[in-house]
């Protein structure tokens, strides 16, 4: 066989061999395992400006490290925020939220849905903050009166082998759980109907649908995320906020996995999904707890950004907001045991912004005095350092009396629960085994124990804090900005203030309510014999009847005998 034929034969055999390999391999390809992809969703909710880690808060410094580590293992990672994060601490509020948005840009968040407290700076400011963000503000049900919106209804994220649609829903309670002026001209469409509409738009475009909600699962809410999950098919994962709930493994409702991670980054939520051929075949939720992050390193870029915010805030704190012609007394021994002009000032402000009938706040929330003269923002934040904010609740007159009785039960001893009030006056009775209040008047009229009143207090007390359990579960009618913020705004508007102690709270000796019997003196009676008849001493009878000379009584005189 010549060399040419050999070459032809060799080529033919090679082709046969290759064809055999292909034919033989065909069944193996047909029965090979389907390739799967994984997605990790990292989520936080209700951070309320608590971005800096401490003994109970993980903080954004460690959150960034956690996300970076997850991305090294698998680049398919989403970082989501379920709202109420741009307001709540001075770190956030002194820049009206801008510092937190810039921090979140460095964190590389993918999206946030506005919570009710995102509106605390006003709607126009919220839109400005959204325009500063390098991540998406999602508000499918937030519309202006002309039915247009300043927010994206949803975004689509494309990963290797699958697509994820994320849409945002904000609570309709925002209308009352932020100052009503903050949402003028804005409407919050029905979450159920909006969710149904968005899911229909997304279902043919993506493989995974994620709802990013600030709605919550509190039973007192008219519509909860559970209600939406029950009524709307097709939401795979519902990342929730607003109710500050802790769902360690999530809550499965109608094949929708609802997840929430409590608050303040006390936990970090993580959801793991496996996708095969465009279908989710596995999903699991878990929480990374604070104690799990003890060894987690702080991300240096985020540490530096927070330090930058703190440095900038020092300049802001120097702002003079107004002046006072009198010292504002906030000393511990005063505000925890009686009326003070500073207690009157803050409750007056709470009453003014809310339009409530009465205001009550606890003396323990007032932490310092302010000297006569110029008032700086730092003065106000030193005096009211907590992140408490006014809430309006509906209570009965009896509940108000119960609260006052509780608040004064340690008087005259100093106690943080001592109540400061506006719109009302009362007297403390101190000669019983337990103190009580009397002559409670609202707007000058005696309190009606059966009537319902609008009471503005701070959110801490409104939730039963400081022992005010009688307020627990009360219907919340409205919420406002931080106490420090509303006070600063009030002083800016007034320019100069001169609050006084007005006698809203006074002490009286409760009169002895004793039953008496009358005895008419007969000829020959002496006081000690009359006393012996009724098992009383003559001294007791003389004192009770105001008889200056117990040896001098006369016939027909009326002697009162106390029982």
């Amino acid at each position: 066989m010549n060399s040419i034929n050999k070459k032809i034969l060799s080529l033919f055999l090679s082709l046969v061999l290759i064809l055999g390999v292909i034919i033989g391999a065909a069944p193996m390809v047909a029965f090979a395992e389907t390739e799967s992809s994984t997605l990790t969703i990292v989520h936080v909710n209700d951070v309320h400006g608590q971005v800096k880690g401490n003994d109970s808060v993980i903080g954004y410094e460690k959150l960034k490290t956690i996300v970076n580590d997850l991305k090294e293992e698998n680049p398919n990672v989403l970082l989501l925020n379920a709202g109420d994060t741009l307001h709540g601490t001075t770190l956030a509020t002194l820049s009206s939220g801008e510092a937190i948005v810039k921090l979140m840009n460095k964190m590389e968040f993918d999206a946030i849905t506005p919570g009710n407290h995102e509106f605390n700076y006003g709607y126009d400011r919220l839109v400005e903050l959204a325009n500063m963000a390098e991540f998406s503000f999602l508000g499918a049900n937030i519309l202006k009166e002309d039915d247009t919106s300043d927010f994206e209804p949803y975004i689509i994220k494309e990963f290797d082998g699958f697509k994820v649609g994320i849409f945002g829903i904000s609570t309709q309670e925002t209308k009352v759980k932020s100052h009503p002026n903050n949402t003028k001209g804005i409407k919050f469409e029905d979450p159920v109907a909006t969710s149904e509409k968005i899911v229909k738009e997304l279902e043919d475009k993506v493989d995974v649908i994620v709802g990013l909600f600030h709605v919550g699962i509190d039973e007192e809410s008219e519509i909860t995320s559970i209600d939406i999950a029950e009524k709307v098919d097709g939401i795979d994962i519902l990342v929730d906020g607003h109710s500050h709930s802790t769902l360690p493994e999530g809550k499965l409702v109608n094949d929708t996995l609802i997840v929430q991670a409590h608050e303040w980054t006390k936990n970090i939520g993580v959801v793991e999904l496996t996708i095969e051929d465009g279908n989710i075949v596995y999903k699991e939720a878990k929480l990374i707890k604070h104690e799990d992050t003890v060894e987690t390193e702080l991300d240096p870029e985020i540490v530096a950004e927070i330090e930058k915010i703190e440095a900038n805030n020092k300049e802001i704190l120097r702002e003079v907001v107004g002046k006072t012609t009198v010292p504002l007394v906030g000393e511990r021994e005063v505000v925890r045991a009686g009326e003070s002009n500073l207690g009157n000032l803050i409750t007056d402000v709470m009453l003014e912004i809310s339009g409530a009938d009465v205001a009550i706040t606890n003396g323990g929330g007032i932490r310092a005095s302010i000297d006569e003269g110029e008032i700086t923002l730092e003065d106000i934040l030193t005096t009211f350092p907590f992140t408490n904010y006014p809430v309006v609740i509906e209570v009965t007159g009896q509940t108000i009396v119960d609260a006052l009785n509780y608040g004064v039960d340690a008087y005259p001893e100093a106690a943080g629960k001592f109540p400061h009030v506006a719109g009302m006056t009362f007297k403390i009775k101190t000669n019983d085994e337990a103190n009580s209040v009397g002559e409670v008047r609202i707007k000058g009229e005696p309190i009606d124990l059966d009537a319902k009143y609008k009471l503005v207090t701070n959110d801490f007390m409104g939730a039963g804090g400081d022992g005010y359990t009688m307020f627990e579960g009360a219907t919340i009618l409205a919420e406002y900005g931080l106490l420090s913020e509303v006070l600063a705004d009030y002083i800016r508007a007034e320019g100069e203030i001169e609050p006084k102690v007005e006698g809203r709270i006074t002490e009286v000796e409760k009169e002895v309510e004793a039953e008496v019997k009358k005895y008419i003196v007969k000829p020959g009676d002496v006081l000690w014999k009359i006393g012996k008849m009724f098992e009383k001493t003559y001294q007791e009878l003389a004192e009770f009847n105001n008889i200056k000379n117990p040896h001098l009584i006369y016939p027909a005189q009326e002697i009162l005998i106390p029982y």
Side-chain angles (χ1 to χ4, degrees), residues 481-497:
L482 299 181
L483 285 173
S484 54
E485 286 181 322
V486 297
L487 179 57
D489 289 343
Y490 175 84
I491 295 173
R492 287 190 188 101
E494 292 293 316
E496 184 176 285
I497 59 173

Side-chain angles (χ1 to χ4, degrees), residues 48 84 87-88 93 115-123 125-126 174 177-179 182 389 479-482 485 489:
H48 290 281
D84 273 7
H87 185 275
T93 59
N116 50 296
H117 288 295
E118 259 69 67
F119 291 82
N120 281 1
Y121 305 116
Y123 181 77
R125 178 58 174 172
L126 178 56
T174 302
K177 292 193 172 180
S178 181
H179 195 292
N182 295 335
Y389 52 88
E479 296 179 354
Y480 300 90
L482 299 181
E485 286 181 322
D489 289 343

Side-chain angles (χ1 to χ4, degrees), residues 512-527:
V512 177
E513 298 176 359
E515 294 185 18
V516 297
K517 184 173 183 177
K518 296 178 182 178
Y519 177 82
I520 305 301
V521 177
K522 301 178 180 63
D525 278 344
V526 290
L527 199 56

Side-chain angles (χ1 to χ4, degrees), residues 113-274:
T113 195
N116 50 296
H117 288 295
E118 259 69 67
F119 291 82
N120 281 1
Y121 305 116
Y123 181 77
D124 291 341
R125 178 58 174 172
L126 178 56
V127 173
E128 289 176 355
L129 294 172
N131 291 333
M132 296 176 195
E134 296 169 9
F135 50 94
S136 297
F137 275 67
L138 303 179
N141 69 325
I142 306 173
L143 301 179
K144 294 185 286 190
E145 290 178 338
D146 62 0
D147 289 334
T148 63
S149 179
D150 291 304
F151 305 104
E152 299 173 272
Y154 63 82
I155 56 173
I156 295 176
K157 291 281 186 178
E158 188 166 356
F159 296 94
D160 185 19
F162 63 94
K163 296 179 180 180
V164 181
I166 309 159
F167 72 99
I169 295 289
S170 295
T171 175
Q172 293 176 305
E173 293 176 353
T174 302
K175 279 289 186 180
V176 296
K177 292 193 172 180
S178 181
H179 195 292
N181 289 341
N182 295 335
T183 53
K184 277 187 176 179
I186 303 301
K187 55 185 178 180
F188 294 82
E189 296 287 86
D190 174 40
V192 173
T194 304
S195 296
E196 287 177 336
K197 174 187 173 184
I198 299 298
V199 168
K200 285 181 181 179
E201 287 187 35
L202 287 173
E203 58 188 4
D204 293 328
K205 300 178 181 179
V206 300
D207 304 294
V208 180
I209 296 178
V210 177
L212 186 57
F213 285 19
H214 191 83
V215 175
I217 59 175
D218 276 344
E219 293 182 0
E220 67 180 35
S221 296
E222 187 174 342
I223 297 178
T224 70
S225 289
I226 294 173
D227 297 327
I228 299 170
E230 287 175 341
K231 296 175 182 178
V232 180
D233 295 329
I235 304 173
D236 297 306
I237 304 295
L238 197 160
V239 178
D240 199 18
H242 188 48
S243 57
H244 295 231
S245 305
T246 305
L247 301 175
E249 298 176 353
K251 183 178 181 66
L252 192 63
V253 178
N254 189 25
D255 204 34
T256 295
L257 184 60
I258 301 174
V259 295
Q260 207 177 140
H262 194 199
E263 63 185 10
W264 296 10
T265 68
K266 291 177 179 177
N267 304 304
I268 304 298
V270 178
V271 181
E272 299 284 357
L273 297 92
T274 303

Side-chain angles (χ1 to χ4, degrees), residues 3 38 55 69 74 136 147 149 160 351 376 406 432 538 544:
S3 61
T38 58
D55 290 342
D69 290 346
N74 172 24
S136 297
D147 289 334
S149 179
D160 185 19
L351 205 61
T376 66
Y406 168 74
D432 289 335
Y538 78 89
F544 193 75

